[in-house]
């Protein structure tokens, strides 16, 4: 008996779920739940059962009735819902929403900051308009030293400071080195100084105003392998996992030894190409901090040593695969055709 | 300075089995950098960048010395030959020097000269000509060519005078301002003063020392007797003169870096030999050598421990000694040609490390303690503000900190209250800006086709402070060609996100925000408001406002009428009619019309009194 009831239920539910329209559902409702419907027919046979069976079957039939009612309601709702579109066009273009543009320089600065933050560097910000003392003299370059020719300095039209010298626009973020030593006072120091620099030169690979990032690490026992490790780490993060660094002899007054830093050419992966010729591309300078610079920052060079590097943000951007910008003056222009690409 | 010479010339000083490509590669890794290597018929030309501290490398011999030490590190055989510092040849005897010489030793630490008599001026032998040409030096005649040849071969500039044009004496002294001299390129210079010059017996200047010789004493086709002249000079004077007169001759560039005075005598002796072979001339006098203060050799001991620490590698003492002696550091003495470059132990670390090879050193990150003394900056928040604005459709732009006079005048600050550049590259970059607005309005105007363009920039403006560095004020500017409604919407959204009241300097097209105080007080998340289970009621009230009524105070007045008012938004404007959507909410009980009616009445009467606002419709 129970089997019969359950079969009825399964049959009813199956037919309800297959119903295509409300007419069909109505027909099924009448068939199963109507005055003369199948449920009522079964109910009429219940008095003939034994007392135990009566209660059980009765309950079961009631449950089945509810199940069929619920199924009918649900299926009715389904068929009343938004009618399926006969046809819709997924290829139609979407709504034009506001699309802003974050400048390439900002993106590069953010990426560089994150890379160095991962190895414990502190990002700082130091003056763009600074005294000669911080920009050159404290960096082992006294006045009239030929080394100053390397940077075409822009001077401010104000009178000299008796101790600090002329007021200039900083030519490099290295003015942050001694300032950071004064701020932190006692090593360890892991500085990342990113800021605007200015030099008196403007052409397709130089702009008067540009950005540099400067790293400075000072602690006990800092040596050349640490610099190499840091450069290799930066190269692999910023340019790609197969990119290595290379240092070659050079000269800066504020480092000893001094290096020129190359990275594997991203265009040819180091094999040699029109862009790099040798497989290596020069990115900037680096070196072990000169003892005179540590002394200027009141740090004892007999106890501590350090390394530093300072490179152009525009320079490393140009070496990002796919970003060989032909004229960096575009970075500081209002040219939307350029700005809107990023 | 960049130096060029041929491979064949290098072979005069270096015996090696390395080929030019290998030489160029090894040199660049361990010494001066080879910028280019060019093949020419049967030879090669090296172009080498020599850093300012290595005056000893501004010559073929200097580079050969480097290679003699470097190449064996790579497994090549290499030996320096014809090292001029190994004395050979004898001093000429004979007549005493024919001119009376008075030298200012401060200006000229070593003065040497010798007469070469009976020269025949004609073209140089072919090999000298080709060597000079391949090095980028024009071959002129056998006499002048010798001076250039010696300079390139040894890094010691040399001058040659026509002896017969010099009258009786040579006085080497400092010039007085406004003295003049015509140099052998035909240019006449009015001297600034403190230049090193030579005056002869007829009271004319015959040489602008260290820079260029005088026309009146120069070699010509009739010259029979030559004065071969080799000196060192005070580098500061040479540099000043050459900069002030913008005469950056190769001689000047070398002299200002203090070449080795010990090189002078070997070079003049070598000069005599070349004169004999190339011009038929013979020494016509003894060599005069005025060298009152010979350089004393400096002592320096290889800092083995420091080398080990800085390289992170234990190089055996023997190897250190071998490297250093190959470079000329013998018996703990600094070789005379490195006198100005080597002073502290770190300088020797560099010598050993570069020859050992930086590429042979390990690479490892620092493992020491990480500093946590952070400055008072909020770089992350600055970046978040940028990405928020980009998300709202703005374009970030970087405009120049340096502006023209006309932009400075548009800033609202007096032109004279701007910091001015002394040596501007262009009139467009003459002042440090005090306002971002003129630059941005210009940038917007330069894009006429983009009608709804909105820019933003976070950067500094520069405000002079007497006796100090200027205040560098960090500002955010939003500038637009779209409506003020759009601009204000961006500003309101930004401050909502920062959970701060709006604080900006506003014009119809620009919003400028002083960022430092904002960064200090901005919050990434607000004070949490527990959810209210009681529904809020939103009602519209429309008022007619008189023309030129500021909306801000009207909205604030409505909001502060009663604490049940949670927010007030301007939802519609039609002519002078403004519709405000007022949200009432309570935490403690459901609101009903009875709660709200009196508040509504108060709003209407307040706005009538304060703003002469008339309610549209009835209460």
């Amino acid at each position: 008996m129970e089997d019969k009831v359950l079969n009825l239920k399964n049959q009813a539910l199956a037919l309800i779920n297959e119903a295509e329209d409300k007419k069909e559902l109505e027909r099924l409702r009448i068939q199963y739940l109507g005055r003369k419907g199948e449920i009522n027919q079964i109910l009429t046979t219940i008095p003939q059962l034994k007392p135990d069976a009566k209660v059980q079957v009765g309950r079961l039939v009631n449950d089945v009735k509810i199940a069929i009612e619920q199924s009918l309601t649900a299926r009715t709702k389904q068929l009343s819902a938004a009618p399926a579109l006969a046809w819709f066009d997924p290829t139609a273009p979407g709504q034009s929403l506001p699309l802003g543009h974050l400048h390439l320089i900002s993106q590069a600065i953010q990426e560089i900051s994150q890379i160095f933050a991962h190895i414990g560097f502190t990002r700082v910000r130091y003056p763009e308009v600074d005294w000669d003392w911080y920009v050159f003299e404290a960096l082992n370059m006294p006045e009239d030293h030929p080394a100053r020719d390397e940077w075409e300095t822009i001077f401010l039209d104000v009178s000299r400071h008796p101790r600090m010298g002329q007021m200039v626009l900083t030519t490099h973020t290295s003015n942050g080195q001694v300032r950071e030593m004064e701020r932190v006072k006692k090593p360890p120091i892991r500085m990342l100084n990113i800021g605007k620099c200015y030099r008196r030169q403007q052409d397709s690979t130089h702009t008067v105003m540009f950005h540099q990032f400067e790293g400075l690490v000072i602690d006990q026992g800092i040596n050349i392998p640490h610099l190499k490790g840091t450069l290799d780490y930066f190269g692999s993060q910023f340019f790609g996992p197969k990119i290595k660094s290379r240092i070659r002899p050079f000269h800066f007054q504020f480092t000893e030894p001094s290096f020129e830093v190359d990275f594997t050419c991203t265009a040819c992966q180091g094999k040699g190409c029109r862009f790099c010729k040798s497989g290596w591309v020069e990115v900037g300078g680096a070196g072990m901090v000169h003892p005179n610079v540590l002394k200027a920052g009141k740090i004892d060079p007999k106890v501590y040593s350090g390394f530093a590097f300072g490179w152009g943000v525009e320079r490393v951007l140009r070496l990002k695969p796919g970003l060989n910008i032909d004229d960096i003056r575009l970075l500081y222009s209002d040219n939307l055709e350029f700005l809107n690409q990023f | 300075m960049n130096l060029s010479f041929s491979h064949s010339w290098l072979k005069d000083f270096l015996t090696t089995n390395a080929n030019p490509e290998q030489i160029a590669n090894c040199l660049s890794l361990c010494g001066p950098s080879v910028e280019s290597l060019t093949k020419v018929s049967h030879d090669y030309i090296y172009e080498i960048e020599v850093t300012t501290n290595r005056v000893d490398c501004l010559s073929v011999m200097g580079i050969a010395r480097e290679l003699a030490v470097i190449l064996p590190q790579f497994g090549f055989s290499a030996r320096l030959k014809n090292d001029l510092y190994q004395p050979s040849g004898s001093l000429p005897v004979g007549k005493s020097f024919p001119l009376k010489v008075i030298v200012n030793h401060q200006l000229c630490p070593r003065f040497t000269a010798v007469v070469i008599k009976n020269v025949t001026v004609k073209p140089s032998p072919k090999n000298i000509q080709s060597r000079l040409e391949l090095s980028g030096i024009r071959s002129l005649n056998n006499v002048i060519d010798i001076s250039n040849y010696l300079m390139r071969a040894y890094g010691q500039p040399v001058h040659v005078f026509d002896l017969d044009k010099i009258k009786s004496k040579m006085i080497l002294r400092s010039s007085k301002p406004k003295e003049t001299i015509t140099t052998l390129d035909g240019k006449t210079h009015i001297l600034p003063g403190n230049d090193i010059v030579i005056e002869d017996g007829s009271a004319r200047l015959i040489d602008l020392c260290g820079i260029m010789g005088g026309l009146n004493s120069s070699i010509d086709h009739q010259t029979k007797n030559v004065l071969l002249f080799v000196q060192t000079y005070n580098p500061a004077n040479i540099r000043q003169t050459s900069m002030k007169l913008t005469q950056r001759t190769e001689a000047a560039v070398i002299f200002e870096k203090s070449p080795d005075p010990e090189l002078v005598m070997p070079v003049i002796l070598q000069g005599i030999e070349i004169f004999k072979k190339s011009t038929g001339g013979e020494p016509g006098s003894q060599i005069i050598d005025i060298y009152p203060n010979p350089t004393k050799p400096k002592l320096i001991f290889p800092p083995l421990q420091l080398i080990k620490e800085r390289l992170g590698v234990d190089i055996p003492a023997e190897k250190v000694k071998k490297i250093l002696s190959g470079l000329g550091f013998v018996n703990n003495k600094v070789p005379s040609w490195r006198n100005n470059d080597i002073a502290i132990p770190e300088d020797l670390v560099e010598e050993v490390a570069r020859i050992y090879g930086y590429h042979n050193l390990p690479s490892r990150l620092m493992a020491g303690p990480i500093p946590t003394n952070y400055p008072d900056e909020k770089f992350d928040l600055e970046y978040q503000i940028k990405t928020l604005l980009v998300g709202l459709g703005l374009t970030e732009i970087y405009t120049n900190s340096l502006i023209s006079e006309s932009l400075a005048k548009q800033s609202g600050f007096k032109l004279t209250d701007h910091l001015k550049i002394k040596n501007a590259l262009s009139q467009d970059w003459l002042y440090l800006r005090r306002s971002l607005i003129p630059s941005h309005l210009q940038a917007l105007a330069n894009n006429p086709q983009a009608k709804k363009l909105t820019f933003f920039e976070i950067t500094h403006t520069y405000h002079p402070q007497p006796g100090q560095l200027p205040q560098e004020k960090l500002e955010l500017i939003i500038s637009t060609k779209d409506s003020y409604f759009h601009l204000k919407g961006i500003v309101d959204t930004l401050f909502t996100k920062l959970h701060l009241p709006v604080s900006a300097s506003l014009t119809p097209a620009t919003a400028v925000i002083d960022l430092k105080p904002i960064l200090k007080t901005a919050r990434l998340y607000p004070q949490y408001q527990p959810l209210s289970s009681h529904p809020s009621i939103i009602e519209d009230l429309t008022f007619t406002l008189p023309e030129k009524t500021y909306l801000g105070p009207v909205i604030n007045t409505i909001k502060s009428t009663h604490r049940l008012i949670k927010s007030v938004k301007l939802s519609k404007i039609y002519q002078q009619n403004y519709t405000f959507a007022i949200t009432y909410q309570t935490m403690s009980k459901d609101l009903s019309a009875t709660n709200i009616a009196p508040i509504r009445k108060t709003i209407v009467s307040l706005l009538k009194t304060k703003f002469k606002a008339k309610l549209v419709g009835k209460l």
Side-chain angles (χ1 to χ4, degrees), chain B residues 67-337:
Chain B
L67 285 166
V69 183
I70 291 171
L71 289 171
Q73 302 293 322
F74 292 87
F76 297 106
S77 69
R79 203 174 46 86
L80 180 67
K81 58 183 184 179
N82 295 322
D83 183 356
L84 212 61
Y85 283 98
Q86 306 304 320
S88 67
S90 46
L91 293 169
V93 296
K95 295 209 289 229
S96 57
F97 193 74
L99 300 169
K100 183 172 159 122
V101 174
I102 302 169
V103 176
N104 176 331
H105 306 301
Q106 283 277 68
L107 298 177
C108 175
R110 190 170 194 177
F111 180 110
T112 68
V114 70
V115 172
I116 311 284
K117 61 183 183 193
N118 299 327
V119 303
T120 310
V121 177
K122 55 183 201 265
S124 284
K126 279 282 184 295
N127 72 324
I128 291 189
Q129 277 193 46
S130 94
R131 292 227 170 131
L132 289 177
E133 300 282 340
L134 287 179
S135 305
I137 302 172
R138 254 192 339 139
S139 167
L140 293 168
N141 58 52
N142 53 356
V143 174
I144 295 177
D145 284 357
I146 291 176
S147 64
N148 286 324
Y149 190 89
L150 291 170
M151 179 171 68
R152 183 50 51 85
Y154 304 107
Q156 170 63 54
V158 164
H159 190 55
V160 283
F161 293 98
D162 183 327
L163 177 65
D164 301 320
K165 293 182 185 168
I166 303 177
K167 306 285 179 265
S168 71
K169 51 182 164 192
M170 295 176 89
I171 305 167
L172 193 151
R173 61 169 173 82
S174 172
S175 73
K176 293 184 271 291
K178 303 230 176 68
E179 288 196 76
T180 61
I181 181 170
T182 303
T183 43
L184 42 81
D185 57 354
K187 289 202 202 130
T188 304
H189 300 286
I190 302 171
L191 298 177
N194 276 325
D195 319 287
I196 307 176
V197 291
I198 297 181
E199 180 189 326
D200 79 349
S202 67
R204 339 163 275 171
L205 295 184
I206 58 168
D207 188 20
L208 183 58
C209 295
I211 299 177
M212 201 182 279
L215 186 60
N216 51 15
S217 57
S218 61
I219 305 290
D220 60 42
H221 289 287
Q222 271 95 42
T223 301
K224 278 276 131 221
N225 300 302
V226 169
L227 186 66
L228 175 59
F229 189 67
V230 186
Q231 336 289 318
T232 59
Y233 296 107
N234 184 316
N237 295 80
I238 298 294
R239 180 171 163 77
Q240 267 216 34
T241 305
S242 113
M243 293 295 265
K244 284 190 178 154
L245 298 178
T246 47
Q247 288 285 95
R248 302 293 291 158
T249 59
E250 188 169 333
V253 168
I254 294 175
F255 277 128
E256 75 180 12
K257 295 173 178 56
S258 300
D260 183 11
E262 294 300 312
L263 194 51
V264 167
M265 183 57 73
V267 165
I268 203 170
L269 288 174
Q270 178 77 338
I272 293 173
E273 294 307 305
I274 303 181
F275 260 101
K276 283 187 194 162
K277 288 197 207 104
S278 177
T279 70
E282 285 292 327
S285 74
Q286 293 169 10
I287 298 176
I288 181 172
D289 181 10
I290 305 174
Y291 187 28
N293 300 309
T295 37
K296 287 191 248 315
K298 267 197 275 204
L299 278 178
I300 191 159
F301 297 93
L304 291 171
Q305 180 58 20
L306 189 64
I307 289 170
K308 179 177 171 183
E309 280 168 25
R310 288 297 150 79
L311 272 56
V313 161
D314 206 350
I315 304 181
E318 278 313 300
K319 181 139 176 112
V320 170
K321 210 166 157 208
K322 190 151 184 265
I323 290 174
L324 289 175
S325 70
L327 290 170
F329 293 83
V330 175
N331 296 329
N332 300 320
K333 290 206 200 85
V334 177
S336 61
W337 61 87

Side-chain angles (χ1 to χ4, degrees), chain B residues 280-526:
Chain B
E282 285 292 327
S285 74
Q286 293 169 10
I287 298 176
I288 181 172
D289 181 10
I290 305 174
Y291 187 28
N293 300 309
T295 37
K296 287 191 248 315
K298 267 197 275 204
L299 278 178
I300 191 159
F301 297 93
L304 291 171
Q305 180 58 20
L306 189 64
I307 289 170
K308 179 177 171 183
E309 280 168 25
R310 288 297 150 79
L311 272 56
V313 161
D314 206 350
I315 304 181
E318 278 313 300
K319 181 139 176 112
V320 170
K321 210 166 157 208
K322 190 151 184 265
I323 290 174
L324 289 175
S325 70
L327 290 170
F329 293 83
V330 175
N331 296 329
N332 300 320
K333 290 206 200 85
V334 177
S336 61
W337 61 87
R338 301 297 300 275
N339 239 352
N340 283 318
D341 178 46
I342 305 291
I344 55 176
E346 280 78 357
D347 294 327
L348 284 190
V349 170
E350 179 167 44
E351 293 306 292
V352 173
R354 68 184 179 90
I355 301 299
Y356 179 79
Y358 296 131
H359 45 281
N360 289 325
L361 297 179
S363 163
R364 54 176 85 105
L365 279 173
M366 298 73 69
I370 294 177
T372 53
N373 180 351
Y374 302 115
D376 184 20
E377 301 276 0
K378 296 249 180 2
F379 297 112
D380 282 344
L381 186 53
E382 284 177 43
Y383 187 71
Q384 280 191 20
I385 291 173
K386 289 191 183 190
T387 51
L388 173 67
L389 294 175
V390 168
L392 293 176
L394 280 67
T395 297
E396 186 179 15
I397 187 174
Y398 278 66
T399 53
N400 214 310
S401 315
L402 295 168
I403 54 172
S404 63
E405 180 173 316
S406 84
L407 280 183
K409 281 184 174 155
Q410 293 167 40
S411 67
F413 293 93
K414 285 213 296 240
L415 185 66
T416 47
D417 287 342
H418 285 76
L419 279 165
K420 191 172 178 188
I421 303 298
K422 202 187 278 187
N423 58 335
L425 187 59
S426 148
Q427 294 299 304
D428 281 336
W429 303 317
L430 199 48
Y431 295 92
L432 274 172
R433 61 186 174 178
R434 299 193 63 175
S435 165
L436 302 175
I437 295 176
S439 309
H440 270 243
L441 293 180
Q442 183 182 69
L444 288 170
N446 285 341
N447 287 290
Q449 77 294 351
K451 306 272 189 280
K452 304 237 175 199
L453 183 55
T454 310
F455 279 135
F456 79 91
E457 183 172 3
I458 294 182
T459 188
H460 292 109
T461 48
Y462 311 87
H463 305 278
Q465 299 178 131
Q468 292 179 58
L469 293 175
Q471 178 207 12
E472 293 185 20
K473 194 170 172 208
L474 190 66
E475 295 185 335
L476 160 64
I477 181 170
I478 301 169
S479 58
T480 186
K481 284 204 282 186
D482 205 330
S483 62
Y484 178 72
F485 184 58
H486 183 74
L487 176 68
K488 189 76 188 307
I490 294 167
V491 174
D492 288 341
T493 306
L494 175 64
F495 279 93
T496 304
K497 269 293 185 184
L498 297 175
H499 303 288
L500 287 174
V502 172
S503 164
S505 174
L506 298 159
T507 74
T510 64
V512 176
I513 293 147
D514 180 2
L515 268 187
K516 231 185 155 67
I518 302 295
L519 294 173
K520 253 195 164 62
T521 54
R523 308 181 57 160
L524 293 178
Y525 43 84

